[in-house]
Amino acid sequence: MKVRGQHFRTIWLTLEDQCVVQLIDQRFLPHRFVIEEVRTVEQMAAAIREMHVRGAGLIGASAGYGMYLAAIEAAAARPAIPEFDEHLASAAAQLNAARPTAVNLSWAVERQLKNIADGKTVDEKVALALRTAKLIADEDAEHCRMIGQHGLNLLRQIARKKAGKPVNVFTHCNAGWLAFVDYGSATAPIYAAHDSRVPVHVWVAETRPRNQGSKLTAWELGEHGVPHTVIADSAAGHLMQHGEVDLVLVGTDRTTYTGDVANKIGTYLKALAAKDNNVPFYVALPSSSIDWRMRDGLKEIPIEERGAEEVKCADGLLEGQQVEVRVAPEGSRAANYGFDVTPRRLITGLITERGVCEANEKSIRALFPEHAP
Ligand code: MRU
């Protein structure tokens, strides 16, 4: 997508040096556009853990490149195959431990380990790691582009009924291009609609405590010229009660093969409000976010708990400096659950790269028959 008119992905390999990965460091957005250089798997694990990169698809792509960096390191220091493989196994464990909820992380690491294992020599293994890292990133971008095309049909249908008035989409957190390699999942249909002159307006929930909505989604939409309004998370129900939302469109960090959806904390409450007000609630996801091993989202999906300071504090720009201020009393305890699970019964449909399906096992497997049990 474009930043001040120039096309960017969120992560890429430098042209000059194929051992350096560059990524957009999201901690500084929307105030500063910073590009970080990552050279080791340890740096990549830290970038994921500390949320320089975030969002399911981008976490997966970062893990893919992380494994490639680990392969380069291993080839330089341990050129014998058993030691090379040992180093890769420990890099895989390090990356997998970085964040628990987005399944794209372990999916990308597993894919790398499987492909690298096909190499007969260390050089072959490094080449396979590079090819796989690029493939994971390219596929992520292409799958999001396809999600955009399938979601565009839904937005067009609503637009026809609204006779020229904008389609009001509600979104939560950032499932935009910053959360993937390009396009985004929830935002892909929005960008596709905007580019096709379907009038669209987006309600952006700020998404406390880290404000991915007001910091990232609002910035992205603004850069692309999409009309949007930032609202407090708690305004969602009010807007739906007053007919101001035509469709809720969110992303997911992990969706079970039965259709339960883990997404940023607060998503479940939006789904409840949507159900009560007959507002369609769609989840956009590339198939890399489907967990083919998990049946019951509420019982099985690991929910990340983060530091209390994220809840007790807020940050923003003051006289050109990014500063953090404390909002809650210093002595108060705070709990910080990163995600919640929206049960499939509250979901109207899933928008995937292969089309739209219902949030249930039969419908999901019909789109992805290669994952038959
Ligand atoms: O904690 P984050 O920012 O990595 O949260 C993940 C997300 O970006 C959201 O939950 C998003 O809606 C789904 S990931 C595309």
Side-chain angles (χ1 to χ4, degrees):
M1 301 297 292
K2 290 214 158 63
V3 180
R4 279 169 234 133
Q6 190 185 338
H7 179 261
F8 276 92
R9 282 184 165 190
T10 48
I11 190 163
W12 62 93
L13 210 55
T14 52
L15 278 179
E16 307 75 39
D17 183 350
Q18 294 274 293
C19 301
V20 181
V21 177
Q22 290 186 311
L23 49 87
I24 299 173
D25 187 340
Q26 301 188 21
R27 293 172 302 164
F28 303 101
L29 288 172
H31 313 301
R32 283 200 293 139
F33 185 73
V34 175
I35 292 172
E36 180 181 359
E37 295 200 338
V38 175
R39 293 162 194 274
T40 65
V41 64
E42 197 166 331
Q43 287 171 354
M44 190 61 91
I48 297 172
R49 195 172 48 247
E50 290 155 23
M51 294 175 69
H52 311 192
V53 287
R54 39 144 303 284
L58 178 55
I59 289 174
S62 304
Y65 279 116
M67 288 298 288
Y68 163 60
L69 293 175
I72 300 175
E73 280 165 37
R78 303 163 187 83
I81 288 210
E83 285 83 6
F84 179 95
D85 287 346
E86 245 169 55
H87 181 78
L88 279 199
S90 89
Q94 188 179 14
L95 287 165
N96 274 331
R99 291 194 73 190
T101 303
V103 71
N104 300 61
L105 178 54
S106 56
W107 168 85
V109 168
E110 266 177 45
R111 186 166 169 181
Q112 276 284 27
L113 286 175
K114 190 165 167 286
N115 286 358
I116 293 168
D118 287 343
K120 303 277 178 290
T121 63
V122 162
D123 284 352
E124 264 178 45
K125 284 174 185 278
V126 174
L128 283 166
L130 173 60
R131 192 185 315 156
T132 307
K134 285 181 172 167
L135 201 64
I136 289 171
D138 289 347
E139 259 180 33
D140 184 83
E142 177 56 15
H143 287 176
C144 285
R145 194 189 67 74
M146 293 303 298
I147 288 168
Q149 293 310 303
H150 298 302
L152 172 60
N153 295 335
L154 284 174
L155 294 185
R156 277 198 208 280
Q157 282 166 27
I158 298 171
R160 261 180 234 124
K161 292 187 203 139
K162 294 202 73 177
K165 288 211 199 109
V167 177
N168 285 309
V169 180
F170 183 100
T171 194
H172 184 62
C173 195
N174 174 261
W177 73 269
L178 289 168
F180 290 86
V181 174
D182 211 344
Y183 302 99
S185 58
T187 53
I190 294 167
Y191 292 130
H194 179 79
D195 293 347
S196 316
R197 298 184 194 282
V198 175
V200 59
H201 162 264
V202 186
W203 296 110
V204 178
E206 60 176 348
T207 318
R208 280 287 290 152
R210 285 185 71 102
N211 291 311
Q212 289 96 327
S214 41
K215 286 180 178 175
L216 304 176
T217 307
W219 178 77
E220 275 195 12
L221 293 171
E223 286 289 319
H224 202 77
V226 179
H228 61 280
T229 307
V230 179
I231 48 160
D233 290 323
S234 40
H238 169 78
L239 287 170
M240 292 186 208
Q241 283 176 323
H242 289 271
E244 296 289 344
V245 180
D246 295 306
L247 164 101
V248 179
L249 197 42
V250 295
T252 175
D253 300 271
R254 187 188 299 244
T255 288
T256 62
Y257 66 83
T258 55
D260 294 336
V261 164
N263 194 46
K264 184 51 60 188
I265 192 80
T267 304
Y268 169 55
L269 292 178
K270 269 102 192 170
L272 284 174
K275 188 74 167 179
D276 195 43
N277 292 284
N278 290 319
V279 174
F281 184 98
Y282 280 91
V283 180
L285 71 159
S287 53
S288 51
S289 295
I290 300 175
D291 189 326
W292 298 100
R293 293 176 188 139
M294 277 190 190
R295 158 169 286 281
D296 185 328
L298 261 182
K299 288 199 184 128
E300 294 175 80
I301 297 178
I303 300 296
E304 178 177 23
E305 288 183 45
R306 300 186 57 85
E309 290 312 299
E310 288 183 359
V311 173
K312 291 172 69 171
C313 300
D315 70 283
L317 205 63
L318 179 68
E319 293 167 0
Q321 296 294 319
Q322 203 165 328
V323 294
E324 186 174 85
V325 294
R326 189 162 47 73
V327 180
E330 196 167 12
S332 294
R333 285 186 62 229
N336 187 3
Y337 301 98
F339 300 89
D340 60 24
V341 174
T342 300
R344 51 189 167 267
R345 67 187 155 78
L346 299 178
I347 298 166
T348 312
L350 306 176
I351 310 173
T352 76
E353 70 270 19
R354 294 204 188 155
V356 180
C357 69
E358 288 171 20
N360 61 52
E361 181 174 353
K362 190 167 166 230
S363 191
I364 294 171
R365 286 205 197 276
L367 274 189
F368 298 94
E370 69 273 29
H371 289 283

